[in-house]
Amino acid sequence: MPHYYFLSEIIKAFIFLIFFFIGAISSPYKPKPTSIDVWPKPRTVSWSQPQAHLLSPTFSIATPSHHYLRAAANRYRAQILTEHHQQLVPPSVVLINVSATPLQALNIDVADLTAPLHHGVDESYNLSIPASGSVARLTARTAWGAMRGLESFSQLVWGSPSVVAVGISLSDSPLFGHRGLMLDTSRNYFPVKDILRTISAMSANKLNVFHWHITDSHSFPLMVPSEPDLADKGSYGSDMQYSPDDVTRIVEFGLQHGVRVMPEIDAPAHTGSWAQAYPDIVTCANMFWWPAGAPWEDRLAAEPGTGQLNPLNPKTYKVVKNIINDIIKLFPEPYYHGGADEIIPNCWKLDPTIQSMLSNGGTLSQVLEIFVNSTLPYITSLNRTVVYWEDILLDETIKVDPKFLPPENIILQTWRNGHNNTKQIVSAGYRTIVSSSEFYYLDCGHGDFTGNNSIYNIQTGTTGDGGSWCNPFKTWQTIYNYDILYGLSKEESKLVLGGEVALWSEQADQTVLDSRIWPRASALAEVLWSGNRDEKTGIKRSAEATDRLNEWRSRMVSRGVGAEPIQPLWCVRNPGMCNTAN
C-alpha cells in the first residue's frame, strides 16, 4: 500500500483529534454521561477510565478455521473499517495520544469449533480491548458466541477516522437461549432480500431464531418439490413464491449470521390455500368467513380466509407427509413448527364425514387428536422436536388430551392471556416459547383489515378497540418491561426457553417491514439477552436504555434498516431531559 496513504491517515487523525476536543468544548448539547453504547447491553462491563483510541486503517481480524465464523469475521472487518458511524451525542471519553500505535487487530479464540447452531448452544464471549497495546482479544466457547462478540466490538467503534473504546472488557452471555422474531409470509409476500435484511438486523440485535410462518389460508408461497401444485395454485403468483434455492439461501444466510431458521407449516387450520390444489382434503374452503347476522360463535374462520384440513380423509396425510419430508430436507433446524392454532368448530362441522363421526358420539377434540396422532410421531421419527401454538392444549373448545402430547417431544408457544397461559403450560410440564399478544405482537394497533366494519361508524372521536383485536399498539416500552418469568417458580422458569415478537402480515408488506419491527424488536432482544434491570440495584433501566436505544436505532438506520424513531432529536441531544421523575 502506498506510503502517502498512511500519511493521509495520520493527517486525518490529527484533524479528528482537533475537532474532537473543539466539539467537546463548544457543543451546544449537554454531554452524554459516560456509558457504553452497545445493544443489547452486555451482562458485565468493566471500563473504569473511559478512553478511546484510533483504529488502524489496516485493522485485521484473526479467526480459527470455521466456515461461518470466518465469513462473519470478513463481513465485520469490512463493516468496521467503512461504517464510520457518527454518534448522535459523542460519548465523554478521553482520546489516547494520537501518536501512539492504533489498534491493529482483533484475535479470536474458540474452544469448541464443532458445536452446531441449535437451541442451547453456548453464546457466551469475553472481549478485552487494552488501553495500551495494539491487539484486542475475543474468546468464546463456540463460533456462535464469537459472532455475538464481533457484533459488540463493532458497536464500540465510531467516528471518522474510526476510534474504538479501549481499556474495556466485556463478559457476556444471554439469559435465554431462544430469542426470536416471527414473520408471516402468507397474508402478504415478502421478497427474499427483505427477509435477508431482517435476519441481518436480527443478528446485530443478538436475536437468534427467525420463526418463518411460511403458509396460511391466504397463500401457499413455498415451492414444495413433492407437491408442486400447492405453490403453483395456492400462491399469489409465480413471482411471489419461495423456491428450494431461495430457502437454501435464507437458511445459509441465517447460519452466516448466527440465526436459526425455524419453519412453520400451520395445520390443520389456516390451510385454505391448500384447497386450490387439493379441494377434497380441505373443509369449508373459499366460503364467506362470518355470515351476516350470525353470532361470532358461528363463524367459519377467525378472519377472512376459510379452510381447514380434514383429518378423517386418508389423502390428507399423503400430502402432509410429503410436505413434512421436504421441509426436513430444506431446513436443518431441529425444531419443526406445526401450528395447530385457531381451529374453528363450524368449519369442520360442514364436512359429511366429520358430521357422521359427531353423530356417533365423537367429538371435534377427537378429530384433532386423530390429526396429531397421525403426524406428531411421524415428525419426531425424523429427529425433529415439534412446536405447536398453545391452542392444542389450552383451547376452550377443541384441544388434545395431554396423554397424546409427550412433553419430551413438543414445545408449546403461548400467545394469549399473558402470564396466565405461560403458567398453565409450564405447570403442566411443557417447555414454552412466550409470544404473548398483549405485549409481543407487532401488528396490533393498526385497525382492522375487514371492510364495512361498523366500529368505525361513529362520530365521537373514539373507536373503542380501534378495530384491532389486540389493540393498542405495542410500544417498545411495553415490550421492554414485560417479564416472561413473572409468577413462575424456579423450576417452572427453567421450562421457559425464551420469547418471540411476532409480525402477522394482514396489514404489512415489504414497504413497512422495517418500521413495524425495529426498534421494537430490539427491546425484546435486550430483555432476553441481559434483562431490563440493573444487576447491582435491581432497578429497571428503561430510562438509561432510552438513550442507548436512540443511538442504536441511529446506527441501524445507517446500516440500511428503516427503524422508526422513538423520540425527537432534541431529546436525543439532551440526554435524560425527556425522561420522567416519577
Side-chain angles (χ1 to χ4, degrees):
M1 190 174 289
H3 292 293
Y4 65 76
Y5 174 80
F6 294 104
L7 180 61
S8 68
E9 289 300 312
I10 292 173
I11 293 172
K12 285 169 63 179
F14 274 111
I15 294 173
F16 171 78
L17 184 63
I18 293 170
F19 279 98
F20 184 89
F21 286 113
I22 291 175
I25 295 171
S26 62
S27 173
Y29 308 113
K30 295 184 179 181
K32 178 163 60 179
T34 299
S35 65
I36 177 172
D37 286 324
V38 174
W39 195 280
K41 188 167 188 174
R43 299 283 293 279
T44 304
V45 179
S46 177
W47 200 26
S48 57
Q49 293 182 317
Q51 296 175 311
H53 192 26
L54 291 169
L55 188 78
S56 171
T58 60
F59 174 77
S60 63
I61 300 176
T63 178
S65 180
H66 184 281
H67 176 66
Y68 295 116
L69 178 57
R70 185 160 288 176
N74 290 335
R75 183 177 70 250
Y76 273 107
R77 178 182 178 274
Q79 177 176 280
I80 289 165
L81 287 174
T82 60
E83 187 171 32
H84 299 301
H85 176 65
Q86 298 297 323
Q87 294 191 322
L88 297 173
V89 181
S92 301
V93 298
V94 175
L95 192 65
I96 289 179
N97 190 342
V98 73
S99 62
T101 302
L103 187 70
Q104 300 286 334
L106 172 65
N107 289 346
I108 302 176
D109 293 314
V110 176
D112 181 4
L113 290 169
T114 63
L117 184 61
H118 292 170
H119 176 77
V121 69
D122 193 322
E123 296 175 272
S124 65
Y125 68 90
N126 290 283
L127 175 63
S128 177
I129 310 175
S132 60
S134 59
V135 178
R137 181 178 174 85
L138 171 62
T139 61
R141 286 290 306 163
T142 70
W144 319 108
M147 287 187 191
R148 309 303 175 217
L150 279 168
E151 175 57 42
S152 292
F153 182 90
S154 76
Q155 294 183 35
L156 292 171
V157 179
W158 72 92
S160 180
S162 297
V163 297
V164 57
V166 298
I168 190 170
S169 62
L170 313 181
S171 181
D172 208 6
S173 60
L175 291 172
F176 294 93
H178 190 109
R179 307 179 306 280
L181 163 67
M182 191 227 75
L183 179 64
D184 161 28
T185 61
S186 170
R187 291 171 174 87
N188 274 311
Y189 173 83
F190 293 84
V192 171
K193 65 180 179 64
D194 296 291
I195 292 177
L196 298 183
R197 186 179 67 259
T198 299
I199 291 174
S200 177
M202 288 178 63
S203 178
N205 282 271
K206 297 186 177 70
L207 293 172
N208 65 353
V209 182
F210 177 65
H211 172 178
W212 190 0
H213 183 91
I214 309 175
T215 66
D216 212 288
S217 277
H218 307 83
S219 74
F220 197 107
L222 180 65
M223 295 171 61
V224 179
S226 61
E227 296 289 350
D229 283 352
L230 285 169
D232 286 346
K233 298 179 180 180
S235 70
Y236 287 135
S238 60
D239 60 337
M240 288 185 274
Q241 298 176 357
Y242 303 105
S243 69
D245 286 344
D246 291 333
V247 172
T248 298
R249 182 182 174 195
I250 291 168
V251 168
E252 186 71 6
F253 189 87
L255 290 168
Q256 292 170 1
H257 290 74
V259 176
R260 298 156 47 201
V261 181
M262 178 176 69
E264 179 184 355
I265 304 296
D266 203 350
H270 292 280
T271 50
S273 60
W274 301 35
Q276 306 307 312
Y278 296 107
D280 50 334
I281 68 171
V282 180
T283 64
C284 87
N286 300 312
M287 300 182 70
F288 193 77
W289 70 292
W290 187 12
W296 176 246
E297 293 74 23
D298 291 343
R299 69 196 183 282
L300 298 180
E303 66 180 22
T306 59
Q308 298 178 175
L309 295 180
N310 185 351
L312 303 187
N313 187 337
K315 185 179 177 181
T316 296
Y317 302 105
K318 176 181 179 297
V319 176
V320 169
K321 290 182 178 180
N322 281 340
I323 294 172
I324 292 170
N325 266 312
D326 283 351
I327 291 292
I328 299 302
K329 292 174 184 175
L330 288 170
F331 294 87
E333 164 61 33
Y335 289 179
Y336 176 99
H337 204 305
D341 61 313
E342 292 189 314
I343 296 170
I344 307 302
N346 288 308
C347 182
W348 268 352
K349 287 178 181 179
L350 290 178
D351 179 75
T353 58
I354 295 178
Q355 289 175 6
S356 177
M357 178 181 174
L358 296 178
S359 64
N360 288 313
T363 66
L364 292 179
S365 288
Q366 289 173 335
V367 175
L368 178 58
E369 288 171 353
I370 290 170
F371 181 82
V372 169
N373 291 334
S374 299
T375 55
L376 175 59
Y378 184 71
I379 302 170
T380 57
S381 74
L382 298 173
N383 198 31
R384 292 295 188 270
T385 296
V386 182
V387 184
Y388 292 124
W389 292 103
E390 63 177 24
D391 311 45
I392 201 168
L393 180 73
L394 300 182
D395 189 81
E396 297 176 356
T397 306
I398 304 174
K399 55 190 173 185
V400 173
D401 190 306
K403 69 183 179 184
F404 299 124
L405 300 172
E408 64 273 16
N409 291 334
I410 71 167
I411 296 164
L412 298 180
Q413 186 164 2
T414 177
W415 64 280
R416 294 181 296 184
N417 300 326
H419 302 301
N420 179 67
N421 281 17
T422 302
K423 178 77 171 181
Q424 286 193 62
I425 291 168
V426 296
S427 63
Y430 292 97
R431 292 166 289 173
T432 189
I433 298 165
V434 177
S435 292
S436 303
S437 57
E438 301 92 334
F439 297 88
Y440 284 174
Y441 272 25
L442 303 179
D443 54 297
C444 301
H446 291 277
D448 186 77
F449 71 101
T450 57
N452 198 35
N453 192 332
S454 61
I455 196 168
Y456 297 109
N457 188 26
I458 58 172
Q459 307 299 318
T460 60
T462 177
T463 55
D465 67 0
S468 174
W469 72 271
C470 55
N471 208 55
F473 179 87
K474 313 308 173 192
T475 67
W476 79 266
Q477 296 98 325
T478 299
I479 295 169
Y480 194 82
N481 284 285
Y482 189 50
D483 179 4
I484 63 175
L485 300 182
Y486 179 83
L488 304 183
S489 69
K490 187 175 181 179
E491 289 304 309
E492 290 171 339
S493 296
K494 293 178 182 178
L495 294 174
V496 179
L497 304 184
E500 291 179 1
V501 286
L503 179 60
W504 302 99
S505 66
E506 288 92 342
Q507 295 172 294
D509 61 14
Q510 68 267 31
T511 64
V512 299
L513 176 63
D514 288 6
S515 61
R516 289 286 167 87
I517 295 176
W518 309 109
R520 290 187 292 160
S522 300
L524 174 95
E526 177 153 301
V527 171
L528 298 186
W529 182 273
S530 57
N532 59 13
R533 294 180 181 274
D534 183 274
E535 288 194 347
K536 294 181 180 179
T537 65
I539 298 173
K540 283 195 175 178
R541 58 173 182 243
S542 53
E544 179 268 348
T546 303
D547 295 335
R548 280 186 301 106
L549 187 56
N550 275 317
E551 288 286 1
W552 177 229
R553 178 261 172 184
S554 175
R555 191 182 285 257
M556 281 198 291
V557 170
S558 71
R559 291 180 178 182
V561 177
E564 66 181 7
I566 64 169
Q567 284 186 323
L569 189 57
W570 185 90
C571 296
V572 179
R573 289 178 167 173
N574 291 271
M577 292 294 284
C578 291
N579 296 329
T580 64
N582 300 301

